[in-house]
Amino acid sequence: MATSSKPGVLIVDDQPTHRRLAARALSTLDVNILEAKSGEEAVAIAQQEHELCVALLDVHMPGMNGYDLASELQQRTNTAALPVIFISATESEAAHRQKAYKTSAVDFLSRPVSPHILLSKVRVFLELFLQRRQLQ
């Protein structure tokens, strides 16, 4: 993929409202927003030639959950180093945070997520991605 293309942000959540809210929060960034409603759909998107700078994964999804998806992405050459931010509204937050970080997540956000916080977190990984791209 040409280095002049926009980096992608992958938003994976089975709830359309959650995907829409995340996409709206990131709308000021110069990125391609790629949405998937399942882990399987996210893997298909990741297999394409997208240059992803970060993935936002819902923890609880039918079929492939967020942890399984993160593990799958880590096993693929083009997404092995992809930063993953988990998002969840789980009651057992401490256990899920621990599991997320063991799955090599870079962050864990609890719902409801402040749009400003989400934007700030993603902006950090976008900047790192762009700096790495310049060095290459």
Side-chain angles (χ1 to χ4, degrees):
M1 181 169 270
T3 57
S4 62
S5 65
K6 293 182 190 180
V9 175
L10 180 59
I11 301 170
V12 187
D13 198 306
D14 58 314
Q15 298 295 317
T17 303
H18 293 161
R19 292 193 310 272
R20 209 170 20 255
L21 288 172
R24 189 176 307 139
L26 305 177
S27 65
T28 60
L29 297 177
D30 189 23
V31 296
N32 288 324
I33 302 290
L34 305 163
E35 297 182 31
K37 63 181 178 275
S38 68
E40 295 81 6
E41 188 177 331
V43 169
I45 290 171
Q47 286 177 334
Q48 297 172 10
E49 293 296 319
H50 299 291
E51 286 188 285
L52 300 173
C53 64
V54 66
L56 309 175
L57 309 183
D58 181 26
V59 170
H60 299 290
M61 295 183 289
M64 184 184 296
N65 66 36
Y67 302 124
D68 295 338
L69 174 56
S71 295
E72 179 71 26
L73 293 173
Q74 285 177 335
Q75 294 174 27
R76 298 179 176 277
T77 306
N78 65 328
T79 54
L82 180 64
V84 170
I85 298 174
F86 284 106
I87 301 175
S88 181
T90 183
E91 293 176 15
S92 56
E93 186 177 304
H96 279 283
R97 281 184 184 275
Q98 186 176 30
K99 185 171 183 176
Y101 289 118
K102 283 184 179 179
T103 313
S104 73
V106 295
D107 212 337
F108 185 100
L109 300 175
S110 298
R111 283 200 176 93
V113 177
S114 162
H116 300 293
I117 290 174
L118 182 61
L119 177 62
S120 178
K121 303 268 184 184
V122 170
R123 187 179 286 132
V124 168
F125 293 103
L126 173 60
E127 291 297 324
L128 288 170
F129 176 88
L130 294 173
Q131 288 174 7
R132 264 194 321 271
R133 182 192 270 177
Q134 274 188 328
L135 290 172
Q136 293 173 348

